[in-house]
């Protein structure tokens, strides 16, 4: 009965001091109602030294057995390190966490699916047309695999930032989902460095100390999906542990030309003694992905699996090695360090329409673009030797081009952090100071091969490559070397004014140096330095033992990427994400955020009940936007667009027990431009020059205002579970409709069901049906050049509908088997 009372008291306070235990970590790790995994702590013995011992437990993960009592503490990360975080009731921001059991419940090899299902205000869309490369949107900020998307979220894996060096993209397909122990979305905290405008997604991985046993998981189903994973963890003795995970996925996709293969490995070797812990972990991935992207609405009306221009493929390869260490030097001082090395290689092949065409004056030659009505000059299409190309194509051939890019990045970094828990003026206090240094070298190349477009929109190459062409030059081969140097110094202090009131203050200084070195000329050469200090202040107050209030203010920044800097001249536009032309300066983006809310937990007879409600407002200064150039298919440039604002409300309730798991949330987002802008657009409401007028108060496109989510799982018997989840996403404006004149992309709702049956202690079978009502909806909409290619599905007539959509996957059935040892 005593243990039961302790459980109720600890859950209601949010501290999570669950029970005294000397047992090691179980295979299916326990989490509390906030989905946080436990940290084992050992209370220090009574002090005989001159210094007064701290009143709270000190982390001693894996300490040898002794008379000292052990408890489990639930904490939340407040800095990028892998060590112990801050007690959850003292965190002055929202708490958003997803545990390993929830990730497993989705049966998805993509962590973004679990984040969408369980984090309020977070949604995904398949802008690339590939389920392994989604855009992740949270509070109006994006972490995307698509080069050219302004990135407003930082992503960390075991304390290492994994936004890629060249364009800050996040390749979700490279993350080993089976090996994830927990995923946490941290908000309102500049300690996570660059790109954390809207927050940071912090992924902590499994190791042999917190995962023990073996598991093989095999699943197959609709659209040729075959996936399998195997993981194994073992604590060899009191000091050593090993862990490894392998994943393989094949998916044919529901659209034409959309097959993908994903292969990933993650491993960890750990050593610990007397509270000190060291890990060497490594990862490899080799993925081949097809991304058919958006497709004209008129083609979708004919066939839901239609594609526009093909090929659209991406090859992603990564290898990384991380060394982490934690030393508890004294009962109140802990030191952490990380050294990491990452190699990334990406090759893209992208079939597109082209502005190359037979010259009006002489059809035996090729020109690039239309005749200038003022000068009568039509720019030539040049070859790699600089000479104008002779037209080798048959009369009436529809020309296209295959754009190829290659990105090779090597990143090395080190970081260190010290944490002190000595009392300050007789009050509990937690002080953290840390520093990081990362340097990345990237080689980027691009080429454009002319070809012809068939009636199935497949672009067939001709072996003829474009040299510098356009007036001004807007396309041609690119060879660029970049070096990024990022340095950070941060400090955070949480001071307990009394047992109820805690104050957190601190900040981070970021310094970034970005160098561009043109390997073919001098147009791309550039050297850019950005510096900024971002403060944070916040507090929490325990209104009752079951209710906590929080509030905070912080600032964050992101610096322009080499990709953005290399394509920022409106007079010299480029194919965004592929061809870089010039290097004018861009200002760094600064975001200022205020956040406040309430949260609580309560132990009921039917389980642990949790709830939270909060609001936020984030104002961006010098926001960066990709702007298209009217009349040039696919061309554009990056520019600072002044101030934007994202504000909203998030609310959630959850219930957790051995029989029932339930979670429901609602999020409202209001995202607007605050300054007037004149932008190029393919919108049908653009003026004669191809521009739209954006007014203060216009909503930012592609961001739904309302998100409603619910998920439930019920244990019908001890061996049989059934469940489902639902998602409602409200309407949103089309990309390039910043003036809010075109009708919105319609809202949609999708429902999924799942079940599992435990045949034996070690064997489970499971099934899942996604989109059970076979709803046909699109997750993103944009506009396209209707005159670039004919509508072959309508006899070659011109397209009349300006919409280009990203269609969602139809109803899909999956079944699998999970074996544990």
């Amino acid at each position: 009965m005593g243990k039961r009372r302790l459980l109720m008291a600890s859950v209601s306070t949010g501290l999570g001091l669950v029970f005294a235990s000397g047992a090691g970590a179980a295979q299916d790790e326990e989490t509390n109602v906030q989905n946080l995994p436990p940290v084992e702590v050992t209370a220090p013995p009574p002090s005989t030294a001159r210094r007064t011992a701290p009143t709270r437990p000190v982390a001693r993960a894996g300490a040898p057995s002794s008379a000292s009592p052990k408890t489990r503490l639930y904490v939340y990360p407040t800095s990028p390190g892998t060590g112990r975080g801050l007690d959850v009731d003292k965190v002055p921001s929202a708490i958003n966490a997803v545990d390993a059991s929830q990730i497993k419940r989705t049966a998805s090899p993509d962590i973004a699916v679990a984040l969408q299902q369980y984090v309020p205000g977070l949604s995904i869309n398949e802008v690339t047309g590939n389920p392994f490369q989604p855009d992740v949107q949270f509070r109006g900020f994006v972490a995307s695999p698509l080069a050219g998307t302004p990135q407003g979220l930082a992503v960390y894996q075991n304390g290492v930032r994994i936004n890629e060096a060249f364009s800050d993209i996040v390749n979700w397909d490279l993350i080993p989902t089976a090996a994830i122990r927990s995923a946490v979305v941290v908000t309102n905290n500049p300690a996570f460095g660059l790109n954390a405008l809207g927050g940071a997604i912090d992924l902590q991985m499994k190791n042999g100390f917190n995962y023990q046993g073996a598991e093989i998981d095999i699943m197959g189903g609709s659209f040729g999906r075959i996936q399998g994973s195997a993981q194994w963890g073992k604590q060899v003795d009191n000091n050593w542990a090993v862990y490894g995970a392998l994943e393989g996925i094949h998916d044919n996709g529901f659209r034409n030309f959309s097959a993908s293969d994903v292969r990933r490995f993650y491993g960890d070797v750990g050593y610990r003694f007397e509270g000190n812990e060291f890990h060497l972990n490594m990862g490899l991935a080799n993925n081949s992905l097809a991304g058919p992207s958006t497709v004209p609405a008129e083609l979708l009306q004919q066939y839901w699996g239609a594609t526009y221009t093909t090929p659209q493929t991406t090859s992603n390869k990564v290898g990384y090695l991380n060394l982490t260490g934690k030393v508890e030097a004294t009962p109140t001082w802990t030191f952490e360090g990380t050294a990491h090395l990452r190699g990334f290689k990406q090759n893209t092949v992208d079939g597109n329409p082209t502005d190359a065409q037979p010259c009006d004056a002489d059809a035996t030659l090729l020109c690039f673009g239309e005749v200038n009505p003022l000068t009568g000059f039509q720019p030539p299409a040049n070859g790699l030797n600089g000479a104008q190309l002779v037209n080798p194509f048959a009369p009436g051939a529809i020309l296209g081009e295959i754009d190829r890019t290659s990105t090779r990045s090597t990143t090395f970094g080190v970081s260190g952090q010290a944490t002190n828990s000595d009392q300050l003026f007789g009050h509990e206090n937690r002080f953290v100071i840390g520093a990081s240094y990362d340097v990345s070298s990237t080689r980027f190349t691009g080429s454009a091969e002319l070809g012809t477009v068939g009636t199935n929109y497949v672009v067939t190459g001709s072996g003829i490559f474009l040299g510098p062409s356009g007036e001004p030059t807007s396309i041609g081969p690119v060879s660029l070397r970049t070096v990024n140097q990022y340095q950070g110094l941060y400090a955070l202090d949480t001071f307990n004014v009394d047992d109820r009131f805690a104050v957190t203050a601190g900040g981070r200084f970021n310094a970034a140096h970005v160098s561009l070195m043109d390997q073919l000329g001098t147009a791309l050469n550039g050297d850019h330095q950005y510096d900024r200090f971002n403060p944070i202040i916040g507090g929490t107050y325990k209104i009752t033992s079951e209710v906590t209030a929080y509030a905070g203010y912080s600032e964050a920044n992101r610096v322009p990427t080499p990709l953005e800097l290399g394509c920022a001249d409106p007079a010299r536009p480029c194919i965004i994400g592929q061809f870089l032309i010039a290097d004018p300066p861009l200002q760094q983006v600064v975001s200022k955020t205020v956040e406040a809310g309430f949260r609580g937990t309560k132990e009921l007879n039917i389980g642990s009940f949790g709830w939270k409600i909060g609001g936020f407002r984030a104002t961006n200064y010098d926001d960066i936007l990709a702007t298209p150039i009217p009349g040039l298919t696919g061309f554009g440039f990056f520019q600072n667009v002044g101030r934007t604002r994202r504000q909203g409300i998030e609310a959630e309730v959850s219930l957790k027990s051995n029989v029932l798991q339930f979670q429901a949330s609602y999020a409202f987002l209001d995202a607007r431009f605050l300054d007037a802008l004149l932008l190029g657009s393919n919108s049908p409401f653009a003026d004669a020059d191809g521009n739209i007028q954006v007014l203060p108060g216009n909503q930012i496109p592609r961001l739904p205002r309302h998100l409603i989510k619910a998920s439930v799982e019920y244990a019908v018997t001890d061996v049989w579970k059934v469940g489902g989840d639902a998602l409602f996403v409200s309407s949103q404006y089309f990309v390039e409709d910043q003036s809010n004149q075109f009708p919105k992309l319609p809202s949609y709702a999708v429902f999924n069901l799942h079940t599992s049956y435990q045949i034996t202690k070690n064997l489970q079978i499971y099934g899942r049906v996604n989109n059970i009502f076979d709803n046909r909806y699109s997750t993103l909409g944009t506009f396209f050049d209707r005159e670039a290619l004919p509508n072959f599905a309508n006899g070659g007539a011109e397209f009349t509908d300006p919409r280009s959509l990203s269609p969602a996957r139809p109803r899909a059935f999956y079944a699998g088997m999970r074996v544990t040892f």
Side-chain angles (χ1 to χ4, degrees):
M1 185 64 181
K3 290 183 179 180
R4 175 64 171 175
R5 284 196 297 269
L6 178 58
L7 173 63
M8 294 177 65
S10 63
V11 170
S12 65
T13 62
L15 281 172
L17 296 174
V18 181
F19 55 84
S21 171
Q27 182 172 326
D28 293 324
E29 192 173 33
E30 284 188 26
T31 58
N32 69 349
V33 70
Q34 295 160 322
N35 307 315
L36 296 171
V39 173
E40 188 180 77
V41 296
T42 302
S47 177
T48 59
R50 287 173 293 177
R51 179 186 297 172
T52 302
T55 58
R56 62 181 177 181
V58 178
R60 296 280 187 181
S65 300
S66 68
S68 299
K70 295 180 182 178
T71 61
R72 285 185 175 183
L73 179 69
Y74 292 97
V75 298
Y76 202 73
T78 56
S79 59
T82 58
R84 212 189 90 188
L86 182 65
D87 299 351
V88 290
D89 65 334
K90 300 175 185 177
V91 176
S93 64
I95 302 294
N96 297 298
V98 179
D99 63 28
S101 64
Q102 291 174 314
I103 297 171
K104 183 182 296 184
R105 201 175 302 149
T106 67
S108 172
D110 184 1
I111 181 59
V113 173
L115 290 171
Q116 174 175 252
Q117 186 166 321
Y118 295 110
V119 175
L122 189 148
S123 64
I124 62 177
N125 63 62
E126 294 183 11
V127 63
T128 66
N130 189 289
F132 307 111
Q133 286 192 308
D135 269 10
V136 172
Q137 298 178 172
F138 178 66
R139 293 186 174 181
F141 297 91
V142 182
S144 171
L146 186 63
T149 302
Q151 310 287 336
L153 297 172
V155 181
Y156 283 79
Q157 180 179 318
N158 267 4
V160 176
R161 182 173 173 269
I162 59 173
N163 295 73
E164 302 295 350
F166 186 64
S167 55
D168 281 338
I169 62 173
V170 179
N171 288 297
W172 300 99
D173 62 290
L174 300 179
I175 299 174
T177 302
I180 295 175
R181 183 193 186 198
S182 67
V184 173
V185 181
V186 181
T187 64
N188 208 28
N189 190 339
F192 283 84
L194 298 175
N195 292 94
L197 305 181
I201 299 174
D202 187 29
L203 306 175
Q204 292 298 320
M205 312 304 287
K206 298 173 184 176
N207 59 59
F209 294 121
N210 56 46
Y211 181 94
Q212 296 172 12
E215 177 185 277
I216 298 175
D217 192 333
I218 300 173
M219 190 188 83
S222 299
F223 312 114
R225 170 67 65 88
I226 301 174
Q227 69 183 51
S229 67
Q231 56 181 322
W232 173 74
K234 181 176 178 61
Q235 185 168 341
V236 180
D237 54 27
N238 289 334
N239 303 112
W240 289 92
V242 293
Y243 173 82
L246 277 170
E247 293 177 293
I249 308 107
H250 174 79
D251 190 282
N252 288 334
F254 73 96
R255 297 173 64 185
N256 296 335
F257 314 108
S258 60
S260 295
D261 291 285
V262 174
R263 299 166 288 268
R264 301 185 292 226
F265 165 78
Y266 179 83
D268 180 277
V269 177
Y271 176 75
R272 67 184 185 183
F273 67 99
E274 297 179 353
N276 308 306
E277 192 162 336
F278 302 88
H279 288 271
L280 179 66
N281 52 71
M282 68 292 292
L284 296 168
N286 183 359
N287 302 336
S288 301
L289 309 169
S293 192
T294 61
V295 61
E298 290 175 71
L299 297 182
L300 281 182
Q301 292 167 1
Q302 299 290 326
Y303 173 50
W304 194 249
T307 56
Y308 188 40
T309 52
T310 301
Q312 302 272 358
T313 62
T314 299
S315 170
N316 281 340
K317 297 180 180 180
V318 74
Y320 53 88
L321 190 66
N322 305 327
L323 176 64
T324 65
K326 182 190 69 154
V327 175
E328 293 191 350
T330 73
T332 58
W333 276 103
T334 301
F335 298 93
E336 300 173 47
T338 300
H340 62 92
L341 179 66
R342 180 182 179 91
F344 169 67
K345 179 180 179 181
Q346 181 181 77
N347 293 317
T348 68
V349 181
D350 187 4
N352 287 305
T354 184
D355 284 292
Q357 57 185 301
C359 298
D360 288 3
D362 183 355
T364 64
L365 299 176
L366 291 177
C367 287
F368 194 84
E370 303 291 341
V371 175
N372 187 319
L374 298 179
T375 64
F377 176 71
Q378 188 175 19
N382 299 320
L384 295 177
N385 61 0
Q388 185 171 8
L389 290 171
V390 175
N391 182 7
F393 302 104
I398 298 173
L399 303 190
E401 69 185 49
I402 300 177
D403 300 317
R404 295 178 175 88
T405 69
S406 174
T407 306
R408 293 173 172 83
S409 297
T410 302
T411 300
F412 172 76
V414 293
S415 63
Q417 178 176 297
T419 304
N420 177 260
S421 59
D422 278 314
Q423 290 188 351
L424 183 63
F425 306 119
H427 294 256
E428 286 191 23
N429 189 73
R430 181 177 183 269
F431 175 70
V432 176
I433 186 170
S436 64
Y437 174 79
D438 293 274
V439 58
S440 302
S441 176
T442 299
R443 290 190 176 273
F444 175 86
T445 60
S447 65
E449 179 187 5
L450 290 178
T452 55
V453 182
T455 56
N456 57 355
Y457 295 100
V458 174
V459 182
T460 303
S462 65
I464 300 172
F465 288 81
L466 282 170
S469 302
E471 183 62 39
T473 300
S474 53
I475 198 169
V478 176
S479 182
L480 176 70
R481 180 173 178 263
T482 68
V483 176
N484 306 2
Q485 297 182 67
Y486 298 149
Q487 301 151 54
L489 176 65
Y490 60 90
L492 297 171
D493 189 87
T494 300
F495 178 75
N496 288 12
V497 179
D498 56 33
D499 291 341
R500 292 189 173 191
F501 183 33
V503 177
T504 296
R508 176 171 175 133
F509 177 78
N510 291 322
H513 185 199
V514 182
S515 299
L516 286 75
M517 291 153 278
D518 196 331
Q519 305 297 289
L520 298 178
T522 60
L524 287 172
N525 288 347
D527 200 67
H528 306 267
Q529 180 72 39
Y530 301 92
D531 305 290
R532 196 172 201 282
F533 176 77
N534 297 312
I536 176 176
I537 187 166
T540 60
Y541 184 77
K542 293 189 66 62
I543 300 173
T544 71
S545 61
E546 298 176 343
V547 179
T548 298
Y550 66 88
Y553 169 83
S554 72
E555 298 179 8
N557 73 303
R558 87 168 182 89
V559 302
T561 67
L563 171 64
E564 292 167 336
L565 290 168
C567 184
D569 188 347
R572 304 184 72 188
C574 58
I575 296 183
I576 291 177
Q578 294 175 351
F579 296 102
L580 311 182
I581 300 299
D583 179 49
L586 288 171
Q587 301 299 313
Q588 62 182 332
V589 183
V590 174
S591 184
K592 300 180 179 181
T593 302
V594 61
E595 181 175 352
F598 301 88
R599 57 176 175 259
T601 57
K602 186 176 182 63
E603 187 72 8
L604 305 175
N605 290 333
I606 57 174
S608 300
F609 175 74
W611 62 272
K612 60 186 178 185
I613 183 169
F616 66 92
R617 171 180 281 190
T619 303
N620 282 12
Y621 297 82
D622 293 316
D623 218 348
I624 294 177
L625 188 68
T627 303
I629 293 294
L632 282 176
T633 304
F635 285 81
F637 67 100
F638 295 94
Q639 65 171 328
N640 292 112
V641 295
R643 298 172 302 151
T644 61
R645 175 172 292 160
R646 296 153 177 86
Q647 58 187 358
I649 297 172
E650 298 160 350
E652 181 187 67
V653 294
S654 59
L655 184 66
K656 197 168 191 176
S657 72
N658 292 332
V659 176
L660 179 66
Q661 307 274 336
F662 172 78
Q663 191 167 353
S665 67
Y666 167 76
F668 168 76
L669 173 66
D670 179 60
R672 299 180 183 272
F673 294 96
L674 298 184
D675 295 316
L677 300 165
L678 186 68
L679 298 176
S681 174
N682 288 306
S683 167
F685 290 92
D687 61 22
D689 295 324
N691 296 316
I692 57 173
Q693 180 64 55
V694 182
L695 300 175
N698 283 150
Q699 294 180 34
I700 300 175
R702 71 181 276 175
L703 301 178
R705 289 170 65 83
H706 305 278
L707 287 175
I708 302 175
K709 308 176 185 181
S711 63
V712 63
E713 183 174 82
Y714 178 70
V716 180
T717 69
D718 290 341
V719 296
W720 180 31
K721 294 180 179 179
V722 296
D725 54 87
L727 171 68
F728 170 80
V729 179
S730 70
S731 58
Q732 56 190 280
Y733 283 105
F734 280 67
V735 176
E736 297 188 37
D737 186 27
Q738 291 90 346
S739 58
N740 299 169
Q741 295 174 278
F742 196 81
K744 290 183 176 181
L745 183 74
S747 61
Y748 61 89
V750 61
F751 300 86
N752 309 313
L753 294 175
H754 68 268
T755 186
S756 65
Y757 189 85
Q758 199 74 35
I759 298 176
T760 69
K761 179 181 178 180
N762 303 103
L763 177 61
Q764 179 189 91
I765 57 173
Y766 61 90
R768 186 172 184 90
V769 183
N770 290 340
N771 193 4
I772 58 174
F773 298 116
D774 201 21
N775 187 15
R776 301 300 170 95
Y777 62 94
S778 298
T779 60
L780 181 137
T782 186
F783 304 120
F784 76 111
D785 184 353
R786 295 180 291 108
E787 299 177 356
L789 294 174
N791 184 353
F792 293 119
N794 189 26
E798 183 178 308
F799 285 100
T800 59
D801 191 331
R803 299 174 301 157
S804 187
L805 306 175
S806 180
R809 185 166 286 218
R811 180 169 50 221
F813 299 87
Y814 303 102
M817 177 180 66
R818 188 174 293 123
V819 182
T820 57
F821 303 95

